[in-house]
Amino acid sequence: MHGKRSRCSFSRLEVILIVCLALMIALTVVLLVLHFLATKSDGKWSYSNNNNVVVEEAKYLVGVGRADCTGPVAQVPLMGYAKTDQVGGGLLSRLYSRAFIVGDLEDSSRVVFVSIDIGMVSQRVRLEVLKQLQSKYGDLYRQDNVILSGTHTHSGPGGYFQYTLFWITSKGLVRPALSSIVNGIVKSIDIAHENMKKGRLFINRGTVENSQINRSPFSYLANPESERNRYSSNTDKEMVLLKMVDEDGHELGLISWFAVHPVSMNNSNHLVNSDNVGYASYLFEQEKNKGMLPGEGSFVAAFASSNLGDVSPNTRGPFCANTGDSCDNPQSSCPVGGAAMCMAEGPGNDMFESTRIIGQNIYLKAKELYEKASQEVTGPLSSAHQWVNMSNVSVELNATHTVKTCKPALGHSFAAGTIDGVGAFNFTQGSVEGDPFWDQIRDQLLGEPSNETKACHSPKPILFSTGEMTWPHPWHPDIVDVQIAAIGSLAILAVPGEFTTMSGRRLREAVKSEFDSHGTRGMNVVIAGLCNVYTHYIATYEEYQVQRYEAASTIYGPHTLSAYIQLYRGLAKAIALNATQELPRGPEPPLFNVTNLTLLPSLSAEKAPDNKNFGDVLEEVRPEYREREVAEVTFVGANPRNSAENATEHNFLTVERYSNISSSWRVVLNDASWDTRFYWSKGSSGQSNVTIEWHIPAGTEPGVYRVRYFGHYKKRMGLFRLITVPFEGSSSAFQITAP
């Protein structure tokens, strides 16, 4: 007789299910503990987020902000090439100011870094920005803890300077350009200030390939062989990247420092744009701000300038435009046509493609470094600043030899330009002797340089003795900012010009050594270029002897670099010893009244052709396009300066796609998009045209599209009164078909 089954017994299937359930519960508990509690490191709870960043207690307050600073895109000279006929005639991409604020969690310490899509920061811009910040925030944001750095695009509007040399090449002071830059910078800082939250910083560095060459290799070779042998290249290929996240690991933004001239767009360009580094910012921000139009979204990516003085993105090197032969020689000159024919080319088929290629290279390296950034930046915030009279700095070369800087002067090779943008007449690079013809013209028009200035600048043959030219105002600055901001282990050297590759290396090395010698070891030292005031170039003493363009443009003489190294070592020492309050403030820079000095033509009344209105289509789009084709439409237009002077962040164009679901048009591109181009063409009798191009990229979604144009025109009301009237126009609908 069989016994009865126990009530506590289970079938085999039930046992397996119970074991599986127990294992699942145990595994869940373990995962929860690891995910939410983890281990306690240095007394702080930590866990991993989706960005593979170990999130711990925040170290800083962090804020980021971006604001438009484009300004007028027509008739204003573009700043960079100093080519008088290179004036704005439209828009390829908008210019932005990108601000980053790092604050102490315990007190009011702040460091502000702003990268601006402009040629360089002028002294007037900096003084006006600081004045506005003072009125808004009191002493929170000051000259010592605010760094303003230009990206050095050569395709942004000029007209925001007060010194006469820059004033001449920019048709005077263009108030709408100055106001757009100043207001954009302040607004970006306002946004960053309002968005400050607890966060953390991570630093990473890596090598960028195939994106730069040294445009003055013969100058570089003048540096000591023993020094050159320490480096694998005659350019700095390293990118330094600072990643910012909030306390939950959510991404906020980045700053990248990399040495390359934003001159992929050459001196034949008339479209305002931010060049290769701007395209890198565009790509990164579009990736992180999903579904947003360019210029929108909270993630901010700045690709800032560094020691780019002799670094070109035109990687094919210099060739004679008339023969195709190489002109990679000490004078950068061609057998036929001289220096004017010697120009470098980028990797693309045209300057637009070259801009994309170089910009994408920079972006891809930054993306890699950003994703792998794991070295955290920690430590106190500090900043040091001085105003210095760079015309009269005594430099101790050693225990027995002291030298001095000079009053500003430009050499003959300055007029030769570079292989990125050639000069005019018969000037060549490498001139160590003056030209009697040009020297006589200079003496008659501007006055002969003093013997003291000639001797101080030797072996530079002086073309313009700008330090001795004071009408109507000084031609060059004497009072210059030197500044370092330290964010924990990161030291940002804000330099007022363009350091060459070797100059930058020497400066970084000297500052790092100074930090080390005063107990602050392991500092990451980066150079931020084109900061606070523009003083042209800074070449090494050895490069100065060769007198190519960069040396001829080293305006304070052969010992300029030594002077800066001495000054920045002093700032580093003050930071390391916590003695920044003991630094002498220095002589304050002047602010000249040049607001009425402009050669820009005044805006006048405009009119449309007979039987037409502003915004009417003159040349229509085709009914159908495929990807990689160009949709083009021409409108009855008006001067874009009207919009810059009478509207805030005005958008000139949109590309819109029709939605069958909502029976409405949705904006998919605007005038900040790199695939759109806005051309303005001035006609006669107050008439003008606007042509808008959309270069349809691969992968564009098939559908029905249209292009819209928005503008303002001047209308006369009575004898002396003009008003600004907004208008808009639209192309016909057209189809994008599948490939």
Side-chain angles (χ1 to χ4, degrees):
M1 188 175 179
H2 297 288
K4 294 182 179 180
R5 176 187 285 184
S6 168
R7 291 184 180 181
C8 295
S9 64
F10 298 96
S11 69
R12 181 174 297 175
L13 178 60
E14 289 172 328
V15 170
I16 292 172
L17 290 173
I18 291 171
V19 170
C20 289
L21 180 62
L23 288 172
M24 289 175 63
I25 292 172
L27 181 61
T28 300
V29 170
V30 170
L31 289 174
L32 286 172
V33 170
L34 290 174
H35 186 66
F36 292 107
L37 300 179
T39 59
K40 202 173 184 184
S41 174
D42 298 326
K44 303 181 182 71
W45 296 106
S46 65
Y47 64 92
S48 294
N49 73 348
N50 293 331
N51 299 318
N52 297 318
V53 174
V54 177
V55 180
E56 297 180 345
E57 184 177 298
K59 303 297 192 300
Y60 301 106
L61 290 171
V62 182
V64 303
R66 177 185 54 249
D68 185 276
C69 64
T70 305
V73 302
Q75 295 186 303
V76 177
L78 301 186
M79 189 65 207
Y81 292 111
K83 189 179 178 185
T84 55
D85 62 347
Q86 191 188 17
V87 297
L91 185 67
L92 173 60
S93 66
R94 290 209 159 258
L95 309 180
Y96 293 102
S97 172
R98 295 176 170 90
F100 305 82
I101 304 177
V102 180
D104 192 285
L105 289 170
E106 305 298 329
D107 58 36
S108 61
S109 298
R110 295 281 192 278
V111 167
V112 183
F113 183 83
V114 189
S115 178
I116 313 117
D117 290 329
I118 56 177
M120 60 284 288
V121 176
S122 76
Q123 193 170 77
R124 187 173 192 95
V125 164
R126 177 164 170 81
L127 292 174
E128 292 202 11
V129 166
L130 289 172
K131 183 179 179 181
Q132 287 197 29
L133 293 177
Q134 169 74 27
S135 66
K136 287 189 173 190
Y137 302 105
D139 292 332
L140 187 60
Y141 301 124
R142 312 169 302 273
Q143 79 270 7
D144 66 294
N145 66 1
V146 174
I147 295 175
L148 305 181
S149 174
T151 62
H152 204 38
T153 175
H154 284 42
S155 298
Y160 55 92
F161 297 84
Q162 65 175 6
Y163 289 98
T164 302
L165 182 76
F166 311 123
W167 180 91
I168 289 173
T169 58
S170 300
K171 293 187 178 180
L173 188 134
V174 181
R175 175 51 72 174
L178 175 64
S179 298
S180 295
I181 294 168
V182 170
N183 295 338
I185 293 170
V186 173
K187 184 175 180 180
S188 68
I189 294 173
D190 288 341
I191 295 170
H193 177 86
E194 293 165 4
N195 291 336
M196 289 186 74
K197 57 187 71 174
K198 292 180 179 180
R200 300 172 70 202
L201 310 177
F202 298 88
I203 196 169
N204 202 1
R205 56 184 72 227
T207 301
V208 183
E209 299 291 352
N210 305 317
S211 299
Q212 41 163 226
I213 60 169
N214 192 307
R215 71 184 187 190
S216 282
F218 300 98
S219 295
Y220 181 87
L221 287 172
N223 294 305
E225 183 179 5
S226 58
E227 182 179 32
R228 289 185 280 111
N229 287 341
R230 294 168 50 201
Y231 304 100
S232 60
S233 172
N234 62 2
T235 61
D236 280 339
K237 296 181 179 293
E238 186 175 69
M239 173 186 286
V240 179
L241 183 138
L242 186 67
K243 176 178 182 175
M244 304 178 180
V245 298
D246 69 13
E247 62 180 340
D248 296 321
H250 298 136
E251 299 170 302
L252 300 177
L254 70 91
I255 310 171
S256 159
W257 290 276
F258 177 62
V260 68
H261 253 84
V263 290
S264 292
M265 299 294 291
N266 62 43
N267 63 10
S268 68
N269 167 60
H270 292 273
L271 298 182
V272 168
N273 70 87
S274 52
D275 213 279
N276 46 43
V277 292
Y279 185 57
S281 287
Y282 170 83
L283 291 175
F284 218 117
E285 290 180 351
Q286 285 294 99
E287 178 190 339
K288 295 299 181 181
N289 298 315
K290 296 289 188 186
M292 298 285 192
L293 290 169
E296 299 177 355
S298 61
F299 188 93
V300 180
F303 286 77
S305 59
S306 190
N307 56 316
L308 48 64
D310 53 0
V311 186
S312 170
N314 293 313
T315 52
R316 290 185 187 176
F319 291 89
C320 297
N322 49 0
T323 65
D325 297 326
S326 172
C327 49
D328 190 12
N329 55 61
Q331 285 72 44
S332 296
S333 186
C334 295
V336 179
M341 286 291 111
C342 184
M343 290 175 277
E345 296 181 346
N349 294 321
D350 58 26
M351 58 183 170
F352 296 96
E353 187 179 2
S354 291
T355 301
R356 287 180 181 272
I357 292 170
I358 300 299
Q360 187 169 47
N361 287 350
I362 297 170
Y363 152 74
L364 289 173
K365 175 53 66 172
K367 181 179 179 181
E368 175 191 330
L369 296 177
Y370 181 89
E371 292 172 349
K372 296 179 180 178
S374 59
Q375 178 186 344
E376 186 162 12
V377 176
T378 61
L381 303 178
S382 187
S383 55
H385 172 277
Q386 284 182 300
W387 283 305
V388 178
N389 184 350
M390 278 301 294
S391 297
N392 188 27
V393 177
S394 293
V395 185
E396 296 181 10
L397 295 182
N398 51 47
T400 59
H401 286 76
T402 299
V403 294
K404 295 187 72 172
T405 54
C406 314
K407 290 183 178 180
L410 291 162
H412 275 248
S413 293
F414 162 76
T418 74
I419 58 172
D420 291 329
V422 297
F425 305 110
N426 60 341
F427 292 98
T428 59
Q429 295 199 60
S431 297
V432 291
E433 294 182 2
D435 183 295
F437 174 76
W438 292 112
D439 287 348
Q440 186 175 12
I441 291 177
R442 173 205 62 202
D443 295 347
Q444 294 297 319
L445 294 177
L446 304 171
E448 183 180 0
S450 67
N451 290 332
E452 179 186 4
T453 297
K454 287 180 181 179
C456 189
H457 279 272
S458 179
K460 177 196 291 179
I462 294 175
L463 181 63
F464 301 122
S465 185
T466 52
E468 298 174 316
M469 297 158 63
T470 58
W471 187 89
H473 296 284
W475 282 49
H476 264 147
D478 288 320
I479 310 305
V480 172
D481 298 70
V482 291
Q483 182 183 18
I484 298 179
I487 304 171
S489 57
L490 172 66
I492 305 171
L493 315 186
V495 299
E498 305 178 53
F499 277 61
T500 63
T501 297
M502 195 63 85
S503 292
R505 288 169 175 169
R506 290 184 189 177
L507 178 63
R508 284 197 304 263
E509 191 173 75
V511 169
K512 191 175 190 313
S513 173
E514 194 70 29
F515 276 119
D516 288 347
S517 66
H518 294 287
T520 309
R521 295 192 163 276
M523 293 293 284
N524 294 284
V525 179
V526 298
I527 290 176
L530 292 305
C531 291
N532 302 334
V533 57
Y534 186 58
T535 63
H536 296 268
Y537 285 74
I538 299 89
T540 68
Y541 178 83
E542 295 84 356
E543 292 164 353
Y544 190 90
Q545 308 308 307
V546 181
Q547 279 298 301
R548 279 177 61 86
Y549 175 83
E550 294 80 15
S553 305
T554 298
I555 63 174
Y556 300 113
H559 303 293
T560 301
L561 174 60
S562 296
Y564 278 127
I565 288 175
Q566 179 176 286
L567 290 163
Y568 280 90
R569 288 188 79 127
L571 298 181
K573 180 179 179 180
I575 289 175
L577 298 179
N578 196 25
T580 56
Q581 297 302 316
E582 300 172 15
L583 286 170
R585 180 183 175 91
E588 199 158 329
L591 185 64
F592 303 124
N593 182 20
V594 295
T595 53
N596 296 322
L597 297 175
T598 184
L599 299 176
L600 204 64
S602 59
L603 293 168
S604 55
E606 298 168 278
K607 64 179 183 180
D610 293 340
N611 302 317
K612 293 285 185 180
N613 296 312
F614 287 98
D616 284 356
V617 173
L618 295 173
E619 295 182 29
E620 190 59 272
V621 292
R622 302 201 316 257
E624 187 174 295
Y625 295 91
R626 293 180 178 270
E627 59 183 44
R628 293 193 174 92
E629 292 185 324
V630 180
E632 181 177 322
V633 55
T634 299
F635 298 93
V636 175
N639 194 327
R641 281 176 56 201
N642 298 324
S643 301
E645 296 185 12
N646 294 279
T648 302
E649 296 185 35
H650 172 75
N651 197 55
F652 288 110
L653 69 91
T654 57
V655 175
E656 300 174 357
R657 185 175 187 273
Y658 188 75
S659 170
N660 291 317
I661 297 175
S662 62
S663 299
S664 62
W665 293 94
R666 182 176 67 88
V667 176
V668 293
L669 298 171
N670 59 17
D671 64 10
S673 303
W674 276 85
D675 295 318
T676 61
R677 300 176 191 174
F678 175 87
Y679 293 91
W680 175 70
S681 176
K682 185 178 184 298
S684 58
S685 304
Q687 298 181 12
S688 60
N689 294 342
V690 159
T691 297
I692 295 174
E693 295 178 358
W694 176 27
H695 293 246
I696 304 165
T700 298
E701 187 177 359
V704 177
Y705 292 82
R706 69 179 181 185
V707 176
R708 297 183 72 195
Y709 163 44
F710 306 90
H712 296 80
Y713 71 93
K714 288 289 187 191
K715 181 178 181 180
R716 185 169 296 282
M717 301 291 289
L719 190 59
F720 300 108
R721 183 168 172 247
L722 291 174
I723 63 170
T724 304
V725 182
F727 67 90
E728 60 183 71
S730 176
S731 74
S732 298
F734 57 93
Q735 188 88 23
I736 302 291
T737 58

